[in-house]
Structure formats: C-alpha cells, structure tokens
Amino acid sequence: MSKFKFNPELNEPQIQAVRAIEGPVLIIAGAGSGKTRVITYRIAHMLERGIPQSSILCLTFTNKAAGEMETRVKELTGKKMQSLTVSTFHAFGLKILKEECELLGYRKNFSVYDETDKMALIKESLRECRMNFHKVDIYALGQFFSRIKTGMVQWNENASMEPVFNEYQQGLKIFNAVDFDDLLAIPLDLLEKHGDIALKYRKKYRYIMVDEFQDTSLIQYRLMRLLADSQNANICVVGDDDQSIYSWRGANYENLLLFEKDFPQRKEIKLEQNYRSTSAILNAANGVISHNTGRKDKKLWTGRQAGKPITLFYPENESAESDFIAARIRHLMIMEDYKYHDFGVLTRTNSLMKNIEEAFLAENIPYRVSGGTSFFQRKEIKDIISYMRIIANTSDDISLLRVINTPRRGIGKTTISALSDMARKNRSSIWDSISRLNLERSAGQQGLFADHKALTELDGFSVMTENFKSLFLERKGENGKPWKLSGCVRALVDNIDYWGYLVIEHGKDEKKARWKYGNIEYFIKMIENWESDPDNLDAGLYAWLNRISLITRDDGEDDNRGKVNLMTIHAAKGLEFPVVFIAGAEKGLIPHERSVVSDSGEDEKEDNGSVEEERRLFYVAITRARELLYITSCRKRRRLQNATDCCPSPFLEEIPAQLIMLCEKEKDTEVTGEQEDIFMEKMKAIFDKPQSERGK
C-alpha cells in the first residue's frame, strides 16, 4: 500500500480512517477531532490510488462545507477537481433531476420554487379547493406538506388538507416546477421504482462518503442506502451522535444504528483525540454528555494543557449578565491581547440577544449576529431608525425610500419612480425632488404627474418631517422644559401611528403585532438608559445615530480586530472560538421549556428524548471553546414584562465541580489606567503598520 507525504500530519486512528477506502466504514468523529481533515485526506488518498474523480461522491450539509472540502482537496493534490462530486444532499438530488427530468415528465428548464413561490402556490391551491386561505396558517401548512413529502408524518394528522396537497402537486407539475423537498423525494422515488436508473448511479459512484451523518434525515438515509446497495459497498459515513441537534428539521441520529444494522461487516474507527479545547473544557463536555443514554461509547481526550477552569457567573438579571459579558470582553482584549473575532457569545434562543446587543452598543463593541436577526435589523426597528436618519439628514435617500410609504400613506411606486427620475435628472436627493414638487404644487403648476392625492401625501410627509426635525434638534417643550430624545422618538411613533400599521399588517395576529411593538418600546427604553448615564455629555440625535452606525452598517470587518460573534448555539455548530460565553444557562432555556411536557393537568414531566437533545446542544456549545469558557445563569429574567425567578440549568450540575470557578464579583473585569495606556500603545502600533500587515 502506498504511503503518501501527508501521513505524518495525522494520528494513528486518522491514518486508519484515511486508508480504509474499501467496504463500509463508520467513523465516529468527536468534537474537534479533525473530521474535515480526515475526509479531505481520504479523498486525496483515493485519487492517489488511481480512483477516478468521477467515481467519488461526497455528501455534506452546507454549500460552504462542500466548497471548503473541494478547496482543501485541490490544495493537497495540486489537481483540478473538474469531475469530483462534493455537494449537499439537495444539490445532488437536483443533479439527478436535471439528468432524468424527461423521464419524470419535466421539461429541461424546470424551476425550483423558493419559499415565496411555494406559499403563493399553496394559497392558489386553497382557492382551487374553495377554502378561505385567510383562515389557514399558510406557513404551517407548508411545513406540514414538507413533512408529508419527507415521510415524517402521515395524513391521519391533517387529512382535510390532502386535496389541497394534491392540487399543490398538480400545480407544480403544470408550472414545470419542483420545491425544495422534491429535490430529495423525487430522486428517491425514481431510484426505488427504476432499478436500471439506480444501477446507473451505483456504477458511476463507487465510492461514497457522507459527512455529519448524525444530521441525516430518514429520507436522506434511504437515498444513500439505495446508492450504496450492497453490504460490501464502498460507503463511509462520518458523524458523532453526541452532536445531533437538528431533530426539529428531520435529523435522525439513530441512522447510526440503521447503518450498523444494514452494514454488519463495517469497519468502525473512533476519532477521540480533540485538537481544539483545553482538557478542562473537554472534561466538562465529557461530564455533561455522559448523562445521555444509548450513545456510542467514547471519551474525548486532548494533549493540550488543562487550561483555566470554567468561569460560572450568576448575575442578578439579564442586564447584569450582558454588562458582565461586555466588560469581560473588554478586559480580555486589554489584558490578554484577544481580538473581537476571538469571542463567541452563544444563546439558546434569538430572543436573548437584544440585551447583549445593548451592552455591546454601550461599550462600542462591534459584533455580527448569526442564526437569528440582530435587534437593530428587525424591520420595525429599522423603520424607526430610518425616520430618525432622515430627520437628521433629509438627503439620506436609502432611509427615505424605506419609510416614505411606511406606514402606508398613498405614495405608490409610480410616485416614487417619478421622484427618483427627477433626482437623477437634477443630480440631487429625493428629498430635494419632493421639495420641488411641493413648490410647483403651491404655485399651481402641473408638475411631473397629476396624482393629487399623492402630492397631498408628499406635502404632509415633508411637513411632518420638518416638524420633527425641529423637535429632535431643538427639543423645546412647553413651559421651557426640554424634551428628551426618547420622548421625541415616542412622539414620532405615536404620530405615524405605527401600532395601527402593525395591526393592519398582521391582521388577526395581534400577538405578533404586540411583540413587534414591544421591540419598539424596548428600543425607546434603550435610548432612555443611554440618556440617563451621568457620563453621557451629548444625548442628542446625532450622537445616538453615530453610536448605532457601528452596528447597523454592512461594510465588513472593523479593522484587523474583526467583530464579536453573537449567535444561537445551533448556528455555532462547526465553528470554534478561543473564548466562548454561554449566556442564559437556566432551566426553561436550556433545557428549553419545550422539552418538558404536561399531560392535561398532571405534573410536568420531562420528554427524555428532547432533554437528551438539549444536553447534546449544551455539549456542542461547550466544545466550541478553545481556551476560555464562561457560563452565565441569571437569578431573575424578565419575561412578558415581569421579572421571574430563574433556576440554573440542571446541566450545570453535570460539570465536574473541580472544573468550575465561581465568579462572585465583576471586580476582575476592571482595568487600571496603566493597563489602558498599555492597550492604547498596542493599538497605536497596529495602526502605524501598513494596512496589508495589520493582524499579523
């Protein structure tokens, strides 16, 4: 057997995994054990052994992962990968559909419907079945149709919608279209019913690999099984049942058991050496996950030093929690020379992020949000900020176009198009065009168009903007008492009747309207807190907009230090950071309250399967950390405007006590003047370098 030059970079189990290319292979790859390296080296080894690129199929779960794997194989081999197939399951399904579309009754130029197209066709299908779509949750129905197609549910759950589903399917065929679920369901049906087609693909792809196998759904497993066929097929699956966290979207970690049953002659290899985390972090993760039952027996280990213990902090509430995280980031940057992009702040749900965002804003800490929407990027918040921006600068066309008809005031596309044309012609702002039209109207001139209602609304919009410009900038109230900025924003929200707009937009879903309006209330409260800071010497409109510009702008990295990564734990899967904060480690959040079920009046009981998935999620969060790990658990947390007592997550008790250091106070996050001076000297040295050398 040939020996290739990159063998010394691999440990012994990794070398075994790379060389085991014949027959079925199960690789159990623990967190941080070099899984991606093994897969890419395995492909490179196959190519060196003379296996054609076209015979290799590697299936993974994201386009990004597929692209990274292909790039790394190119770097290892120095060869072009023109015939190698590294793709997601859905992209591979699309490839089959394109090759076999005429057999399936589709024309070659078929479309793949996105979510918007899908919802529109479901509405039309409801109409065809003489059902009132206003009384149906279209999104929920679309999700149900998805579960039907992928075999997750049967019709006995919602049989009344079967005619609608059939109409929807017929509509797809008429429009020569498929939806996202069809990219798996149709190829599976094709291979099951046409043995000759299945044989063609088996002969073509003689070496199959599946990455993140624990996240495959049952339909994906069946598709893979049809391609592999024989018990002696060259099929290699790589996964870790301890990191299966996507059951809500169909993932089935028990596919590992199915693989063992279907391929009894498999070779099993365990990758247990972790290259990512310190032993303290790794032992904490092992302590937690060991409480799950029915898992593959393994214990991760590392050659790295023990490192610092895990810091556990019990803040009084979510505000103290956010302040602690922001202060600790500042402290570590100054004292230990970390950069913003070295930090990952993980939450169980997106709703926990807004307090942390506020703290980052107060400390001028740049960040990016993944796995959810930044508070400042929510539509209702962007709308109010856009009003504030055009009050500060009427030449801000982007902000003006966003709110000129929000809430709706009869200024339609024709009017906006005419304003834009005038602005281009005169090389001026759209606000200038509005002013020109208003002048023409007051002088009795026809102007660009004769829509008198639109002209009246434009005049009202400009008068309202000018009035609030005076209020925001002068802030003169009755009896000489000055207005606060927060009061000006509240008056603006009331004046445009944003609540009424939300009610109209969301129809009967008043709960959603109230939730969005609650975000605006929180935004105003955020301004109030900023105004009440005694160290704040300028609490005006321009100062506030300058503060949030760091967060709302989309201009990439903030110098060589990057941005803090704020994300849900699900979004952090596959990533790693030198320093990780896990916020909100409380019962009801992790494990989430959905993992506790109640049987009509009986005492609450735990759904063991759900709790075990929540434990796996906590395990994934812990194993994202390389050097330092901080966990916070609030004593109280505000829910529905009321502060409620919190209990620490039971998972915290599963971390060996000797690995935890309790943080009683925040004093060690304080920085002396001398330390600040040292930090500023470091920053000066960085910025004195040429741009190309920064960060080295």
Side-chain angles (χ1 to χ4, degrees):
M1 183 176 290
S2 66
K3 198 170 186 179
F4 50 100
K5 60 184 178 182
F6 37 79
N7 267 352
E9 297 183 24
L10 307 174
N11 62 37
E12 189 55 38
Q14 288 175 331
I15 292 172
Q16 292 177 24
V18 167
R19 287 178 170 170
I21 59 177
E22 304 292 337
V25 181
L26 171 60
I27 301 174
I28 302 299
S33 63
K35 167 180 67 70
T36 303
R37 171 184 284 188
V38 166
I39 293 173
T40 52
Y41 281 24
R42 199 170 187 274
I43 295 173
H45 181 51
M46 288 182 190
L47 297 175
E48 187 187 66
R49 289 285 304 274
I51 295 170
Q53 293 181 23
S54 58
S55 296
I56 301 172
L57 170 64
C58 181
L59 297 170
T60 185
F61 276 79
T62 66
N63 290 318
K64 181 181 177 183
E68 287 178 355
M69 284 185 188
E70 191 166 334
T71 298
R72 288 170 74 166
V73 173
K74 287 179 184 177
E75 291 172 351
L76 283 174
T77 62
K79 299 177 182 178
K80 294 181 179 179
M81 297 293 120
Q82 296 172 327
S83 305
L84 180 69
T85 303
V86 183
S87 79
T88 64
F89 271 93
H90 288 88
F92 180 66
L94 178 60
K95 178 181 173 69
I96 294 177
L97 281 179
K98 285 181 176 178
E99 292 174 356
E100 313 296 338
C101 61
E102 293 180 344
L103 174 67
L104 295 164
Y106 291 92
R107 298 184 299 280
K108 283 189 176 295
N109 60 340
F110 66 87
S111 303
V112 180
Y113 271 13
D114 61 16
E115 199 67 14
T116 302
D117 294 331
K118 177 180 176 180
M119 295 301 112
L121 184 56
I122 289 176
K123 282 184 182 179
E124 185 60 34
S125 302
L126 285 163
R127 288 193 193 97
E128 291 292 329
C129 293
R130 300 182 183 280
M131 294 185 185
N132 187 350
F133 68 83
H134 290 293
K135 295 182 179 181
V136 177
D137 186 333
I138 303 295
Y139 178 78
L141 184 59
Q143 293 294 99
F144 178 73
F145 285 179
S146 177
R147 291 194 292 273
I148 284 288
K149 287 192 177 189
T150 54
M152 293 174 64
V153 296
Q154 301 299 318
W155 277 114
N156 54 13
E157 287 193 25
N158 201 354
S160 64
M161 287 297 163
E162 189 168 3
V164 182
F165 177 80
N166 293 334
E167 187 70 35
Y168 170 73
Q169 288 293 91
Q170 185 179 358
L172 285 172
K173 207 65 179 282
I174 290 170
F175 292 119
N176 194 39
V178 296
D179 63 22
F180 196 63
D181 299 301
D182 287 330
L183 300 181
L184 296 178
I186 295 177
L188 176 64
D189 187 61
L190 176 73
L191 297 182
E192 285 181 334
K193 292 180 178 177
H194 298 269
D196 56 330
I197 302 294
L199 182 61
K200 180 178 81 171
Y201 285 100
R202 286 180 200 133
K203 286 183 176 179
K204 180 174 183 178
Y205 299 111
R206 294 184 295 109
Y207 294 85
I208 302 172
M209 277 183 285
V210 182
D211 184 24
E212 301 286 6
F213 186 66
Q214 77 281 347
D215 292 331
T216 53
S217 62
L218 189 57
I219 191 172
Q220 289 168 331
Y221 181 85
R222 288 168 62 194
L223 184 61
M224 178 215 77
R225 184 70 184 85
L226 277 167
L227 290 170
D229 186 37
S230 161
Q231 289 186 2
N232 298 313
N234 303 319
I235 172 76
C236 173
V237 299
V238 186
D240 178 11
D241 53 341
D242 289 337
Q243 297 187 72
S244 179
I245 59 175
Y246 293 113
S247 66
W248 48 274
R249 69 181 190 194
N252 181 17
Y253 75 95
E254 292 183 351
N255 283 349
L256 286 165
L257 301 178
L258 278 176
F259 186 84
E260 292 176 344
K261 175 176 173 291
D262 289 339
F263 298 94
Q265 297 173 324
R266 74 198 174 278
K267 181 172 185 178
E268 186 169 315
I269 301 167
K270 292 181 181 179
L271 306 181
E272 297 175 296
Q273 182 175 357
N274 177 285
Y275 291 92
R276 178 186 299 157
S277 307
T278 63
S279 61
I281 293 169
L282 205 57
N283 290 336
N286 285 332
V288 169
I289 203 63
S290 65
H291 288 77
N292 271 6
T293 59
R295 55 187 286 268
K296 299 287 289 185
D297 182 39
K298 59 185 171 298
K299 187 171 183 179
L300 297 184
W301 62 276
T302 180
R304 296 188 63 184
Q305 295 180 348
K308 294 183 179 179
I310 293 156
T311 301
L312 180 57
F313 180 53
Y314 292 102
E316 185 59 31
N317 53 38
E318 62 268 30
S319 294
E321 175 183 59
S322 302
D323 291 343
F324 170 78
I325 292 171
R328 186 55 61 99
I329 288 173
R330 281 287 188 213
H331 175 82
L332 290 171
M333 286 188 68
I334 292 173
M335 298 302 298
E336 301 192 30
D337 208 23
Y338 285 105
K339 297 177 174 61
Y340 288 125
H341 57 239
D342 291 329
F343 298 95
V345 182
L346 314 184
T347 64
R348 173 62 180 85
T349 65
N350 188 41
S351 62
L352 300 185
M353 293 183 184
K354 63 184 180 183
N355 289 96
I356 300 171
E357 289 191 66
E358 182 180 6
F360 287 171
L361 176 65
E363 290 291 330
N364 293 316
I365 295 175
Y367 66 93
R368 65 167 59 86
V369 172
S370 304
T373 305
S374 165
F375 179 75
F376 295 96
Q377 292 297 321
R378 296 185 187 279
K379 181 185 183 303
E380 59 275 16
I381 302 304
K382 288 184 76 172
D383 285 347
I384 304 307
I385 290 174
S386 292
Y387 271 105
M388 295 171 72
R389 289 195 188 283
I390 61 171
I391 287 168
N393 174 21
T394 51
S395 296
D396 185 341
D397 284 352
I398 294 174
S399 296
L400 188 145
L401 288 173
R402 181 179 183 88
V403 298
I404 194 170
N405 200 38
T406 304
R408 304 186 193 285
R409 47 174 66 92
I411 302 173
K413 291 179 181 177
T414 302
T415 305
I416 294 171
S417 177
L419 291 170
S420 298
D421 288 342
M422 183 185 286
R424 278 193 295 271
K425 180 181 177 182
N426 296 313
R427 296 186 178 181
S428 63
S429 67
I430 290 176
W431 178 263
D432 181 66
S433 298
I434 294 173
S435 301
R436 285 171 185 264
L437 283 177
N438 287 336
L439 283 172
E440 290 173 357
R441 181 170 180 264
S442 63
Q445 298 175 15
Q446 179 68 32
L448 285 178
F449 51 91
D451 188 340
H452 296 294
K453 183 180 186 304
L455 289 170
T456 300
E457 292 294 344
L458 281 174
D459 184 53
F461 176 74
S462 59
V463 169
M464 181 270 292
T465 303
E466 290 292 355
N467 288 340
F468 274 101
K469 192 177 189 72
S470 298
L471 179 64
F472 272 77
L473 300 184
E474 297 175 11
R475 290 196 276 163
K476 292 179 180 178
E478 296 179 1
N479 303 320
K481 187 176 181 181
W483 280 66
K484 288 188 173 182
L485 180 62
S486 54
C488 295
V489 176
R490 190 175 296 281
L492 172 67
V493 172
D494 291 342
N495 183 275
I496 62 176
D497 190 20
Y498 202 86
W499 165 248
Y501 165 71
L502 289 173
V503 170
I504 292 170
E505 285 293 297
H506 298 288
K508 295 182 179 180
D509 194 353
E510 186 175 325
K511 183 178 179 182
K512 190 168 186 178
R514 289 193 177 280
W515 181 78
K516 286 179 173 288
Y517 197 76
N519 285 335
I520 293 174
E521 291 284 356
Y522 186 87
F523 177 68
I524 295 172
K525 183 68 177 176
M526 195 183 288
I527 299 173
E528 288 178 356
N529 292 339
W530 174 69
E531 290 177 306
S532 63
D533 184 349
D535 294 329
N536 185 4
L537 302 178
D538 182 1
L541 174 62
Y542 293 108
W544 173 259
L545 291 176
N546 286 338
R547 287 169 60 79
I548 62 174
S549 65
L550 179 68
I551 293 166
T552 57
R553 71 186 184 189
D554 297 315
D555 60 352
E557 293 292 286
D558 177 41
D559 68 60
N560 71 305
R561 294 178 292 163
K563 295 180 180 181
V564 173
N565 301 275
L566 175 59
M567 59 182 62
T568 61
I569 301 173
H570 282 98
K573 176 77 181 297
L575 303 177
E576 59 183 73
F577 307 99
V579 185
V580 166
F581 294 83
I582 303 174
E586 299 140 28
K587 186 176 182 181
L589 287 175
I590 187 161
H592 198 274
E593 57 193 356
R594 285 196 302 266
S595 64
V596 178
V597 295
S598 178
D599 292 328
S600 59
E602 296 180 9
D603 291 338
E604 287 187 337
K605 63 180 182 179
E606 291 185 344
D607 175 354
N608 192 53
S610 296
V611 170
E612 291 211 344
E613 176 149 340
E614 290 290 305
R615 185 178 283 112
R616 292 195 293 271
L617 193 60
F618 193 57
Y619 170 82
V620 166
I622 292 173
T623 53
R624 299 312 95 193
R626 296 211 307 253
E627 298 164 12
L628 298 175
L629 176 62
Y630 295 85
I631 303 175
T632 57
S633 177
C634 290
R635 301 179 191 277
K636 292 181 182 292
R637 189 175 291 276
R638 187 166 292 276
R639 303 185 70 180
L640 301 176
Q641 305 305 313
N642 296 314
T644 58
D645 291 331
C646 300
C647 296
S649 168
F651 299 153
L652 295 177
E653 297 178 2
E654 298 171 357
I655 299 175
Q658 69 272 19
L659 301 176
I660 292 177
M661 177 180 68
L662 283 176
C663 180
E664 300 292 346
K665 298 179 181 179
E666 298 178 45
K667 64 180 182 179
D668 56 345
T669 65
E670 296 175 359
V671 179
T672 66
E674 182 181 352
Q675 290 165 343
E676 282 186 344
D677 291 341
I678 294 171
F679 177 70
M680 293 309 296
E681 285 298 319
K682 289 180 181 178
M683 290 301 100
K684 184 177 183 299
I686 289 172
F687 287 111
D688 284 344
K689 290 181 179 181
Q691 183 72 32
S692 60
E693 294 183 18
R694 293 181 186 178
K696 292 183 179 179

